[in-house]
Amino acid sequence: MTLVDGLARYARTLLTLPRDIHLFFAYALFSNVAIGAFALLYNLYLVQLRYREDFIGLVNAISTAALAVSAVGLGKLLHDRGPWWCLFYGTAFYLVTSMLLAFASQPLAVVASAVLQGMATTFLFVPLMPFVIEHAPPAQRPTVAAMALSLTSASATVGSLLAGGLPSLIGTLTGWPVSSAVTYRWSLLASIVVCAGALPPLLLMHDPRGPATHTTGSLRVQEEGVTDSQWQLRQYLRAFVLAGGLLSIGNGAVVPFYNVFLTTLGLSAQAIGVFYAAASLTGAVLGLFAPAVARALGPLHAATFIRFAPIPLFALLALFPATPLAIVAHLVRMTSISMAWPIDSMLIAEVLPSAVRANAFSFRSAAWNLGFAVASLLSGQLIVALGYGPAFAIYALFCTLAVAYFQRRFRQHPAAQGHRGRVQPASGPER
C-alpha cells in the first residue's frame, strides 16, 4: 500500500466517526491556544517585569503543585460528572484564570493567579483520554487518541505563532516597545480570546453531556480482555503513575526555562515563537503515525523508543549549549510527547478496567505535576547559581529512569506487545 492510499484510508476512517467525536476534534483544535502562548511568552513577560529564573521557577512550581492537587480530586469528578462536564466547565475556568494571570504584575498577584490557572489547567489535560476511551468506538480509539493529541499540538502551534508575532504587530500599531510587558500582556489576552473557541463545539455535543457510564465492580472485573488479578492491576497502576512522576522531574528541570535559555543564545521572542510553532506542528503531524508505529513495534517497544529519543540530545546540550542542538532537542522532545502519550494511554486502557481508569489518569497527572513543581522550583535556583548545564543533565537522568522503569514493569503484559490475554501470575510482589 502506498503512502497516499494509507492516508486516504486514514481520512475515510476519520470521516466515519460519530458527530460528537468530530466536535471533540474541533474542541481540541482550540483548547491549547492559550497554553501554547503562555508557554512561549509568559516567562518572557516575567523577565520584562524584572523577575529572574528563581522567581520564574517558583511561579511554575506553585502553578503545577496546584495542578497536582486539583488532579487528585478530578478522578472523582470524572467518575461522577463525566469527561464532558470536566472539559466544558474546566475550560471556562481556565479562560478566566488565564486573564487574571495576564494582568497580574505584583509578586503576590502573580503567584495567586498562577495557582488558580494551575488548578484550571488540569481540566484541559486529564479528561482528554477518558473522553476518548468512553466515547470513541473501541476499534478506533488509538486513531482518535492520536488525532486528538495531534490537534492539541496544532492548537499550541497557533498559540506559539500568535505569541511570537503579535508583540511586533501590537508594537507597530501602538508605538509601544516590542519587547515590553504591555505588548506581551495583550498578546496573551489575544490568545485567550482565540482559545475561547473551544467552548462552542462542546455545547453542540449531545450524547457525551450526561454523566459517565462506568462498569461497576472491583478491580477483578473482566472487560475488553482485562483479566489480571487485583494485585497485578494495582502494580500496573502504580507503575503508570510513578513513571509519569519520574518523567516530570526531568521535564520540570528544563521546560519552564527553555524559552529563557533560547534568549541567552541570542534568539528573539518572534524567532522563538516560530520555532515553538514548528516544533508543535511537527509533533502534531508525526503524532498521527503513533498508532501505526505501535502496531509495527508493539506498544511498549514503540513507547520506549520514542520516549528515549530526546534524552541523548539533552545530555549533549548539557555539555555543548549550541543553538542548532537546542533547536533539534526541542523538536525531538515535542515529537516524542505527541507520539508517546497516545500509545501510553491506549496501553493503560487495555491493561486497566474502566472502574479505575479515571483514577489512573488523575493520579498520573497529580504525580506529573508534583514532580514538575518540585523540579522547576529547585532547577530555577540551580540555573541562577550554575547555569543550564545541570538542568539538562537532570532531564537526561530522570527521563532515562522513567523509560527503563516503565519498560520493565509492563514488558510481561500481552497488551505491551499488542496482544490481549491473561498475564501469567507472578510468584509474588517484586522487591
Side-chain angles (χ1 to χ4, degrees):
M1 179 181 296
T2 67
L3 177 61
V4 174
D5 291 336
L7 292 175
R9 187 177 68 174
Y10 196 95
R12 287 194 296 271
T13 299
L14 295 177
L15 290 174
T16 61
L17 291 169
R19 171 182 178 273
D20 286 331
I21 295 297
H22 291 156
L23 290 171
F24 175 65
F25 289 158
Y27 163 82
L29 186 58
F30 285 92
S31 64
N32 275 29
V33 170
I35 289 176
F38 272 81
L40 169 72
L41 211 54
Y42 189 69
N43 289 348
L44 303 181
Y45 168 72
L46 291 178
V47 170
Q48 290 301 317
L49 294 176
R50 302 295 186 267
Y51 296 114
R52 292 199 62 194
E53 285 92 345
D54 50 356
F55 183 76
I56 293 172
L58 174 65
V59 171
N60 278 276
I62 291 174
S63 175
T64 50
L67 209 163
V69 172
S70 178
V72 172
L74 189 53
K76 180 171 175 31
L77 270 179
L78 281 168
H79 188 277
D80 294 342
R81 299 283 187 170
W84 182 92
W85 190 96
C86 293
L87 286 174
F88 180 79
Y89 290 101
T91 302
F93 182 34
Y94 175 81
L95 295 171
V96 172
T97 57
S98 295
M99 291 184 67
L100 293 175
L101 188 59
F103 280 108
S105 59
Q106 297 302 313
L108 287 178
V110 170
V111 169
S113 301
V115 168
L116 293 175
Q117 194 204 43
M119 295 174 64
T121 305
T122 313
F123 291 84
L124 272 66
F125 290 123
V126 177
L128 282 177
M129 287 303 108
F131 187 99
V132 170
I133 293 168
E134 184 169 324
H135 297 292
Q140 303 303 329
R141 283 177 183 169
T143 299
V144 173
M147 176 59 71
L149 266 294
S150 292
L151 288 173
T152 59
S153 295
S155 181
T157 301
V158 174
S160 295
L161 288 173
L162 284 174
L166 281 177
S168 295
L169 178 61
I170 293 171
T172 300
L173 294 176
T174 63
W176 297 332
V178 173
S179 297
S180 65
V182 66
T183 55
Y184 289 170
R185 177 183 295 126
W186 285 101
S187 299
L188 291 172
L189 290 171
S191 75
I192 295 168
V193 172
V194 177
C195 187
L199 294 178
L202 293 176
L203 289 174
L204 292 172
M205 291 182 183
H206 296 304
D207 295 340
R209 295 180 66 164
T213 56
H214 296 279
T215 304
T216 58
S218 68
L219 288 176
R220 287 183 176 273
V221 297
Q222 182 171 343
E223 175 200 347
E224 301 175 1
V226 178
T227 56
D228 300 313
S229 70
Q230 183 178 14
W231 175 83
Q232 286 173 317
L233 291 175
R234 286 175 177 169
Q235 293 300 307
Y236 292 132
L237 183 128
R238 289 192 191 103
F240 183 62
V241 172
L242 183 55
L246 291 170
L247 281 172
S248 73
I249 294 173
N251 281 271
V254 169
V255 174
F257 315 101
Y258 207 72
N259 53 352
V260 181
F261 167 68
L262 292 174
T263 63
T264 68
L265 298 178
L267 297 181
S268 66
Q270 186 170 8
I272 296 171
V274 172
F275 166 45
Y276 269 43
S280 295
L281 185 60
T282 301
V285 173
L286 295 181
L288 297 174
F289 294 92
V293 175
R295 286 192 297 269
L297 302 180
L300 185 60
H301 291 317
T304 300
F305 173 77
I306 293 167
R307 290 281 189 198
F308 186 77
I311 294 173
L313 297 173
F314 279 92
L316 284 174
L317 200 58
L319 302 173
F320 309 105
T323 301
L325 181 58
I327 290 173
V328 173
H330 184 71
L331 283 169
V332 175
R333 189 185 71 83
M334 293 299 295
T335 301
S336 173
I337 292 171
S338 295
M339 294 188 72
W341 179 234
I343 295 173
D344 287 349
S345 300
M346 291 304 102
L347 175 58
I348 209 66
E350 292 284 345
V351 171
L352 296 179
S354 63
V356 293
R357 282 180 198 146
N359 283 335
F361 286 106
S362 64
F363 291 158
R364 165 92 170 203
S365 181
W368 172 276
N369 290 290
L370 181 60
F372 198 98
V374 173
S376 61
L377 178 62
L378 297 178
S379 186
Q381 305 289 332
L382 192 63
I383 289 169
V384 170
L386 300 174
Y388 285 90
F392 296 137
I394 290 171
Y395 174 92
L397 172 62
F398 280 90
C399 289
T400 299
L401 291 174
V403 170
Y405 175 74
F406 191 82
Q407 203 276 341
R408 179 173 179 268
R409 285 295 186 182
F410 282 87
R411 63 187 177 185
Q412 297 301 322
H413 198 287
Q417 283 76 44
H419 307 294
R420 294 183 178 186
R422 179 183 294 273
V423 176
Q424 292 300 318
S427 59
E430 295 183 36
R431 299 186 183 276

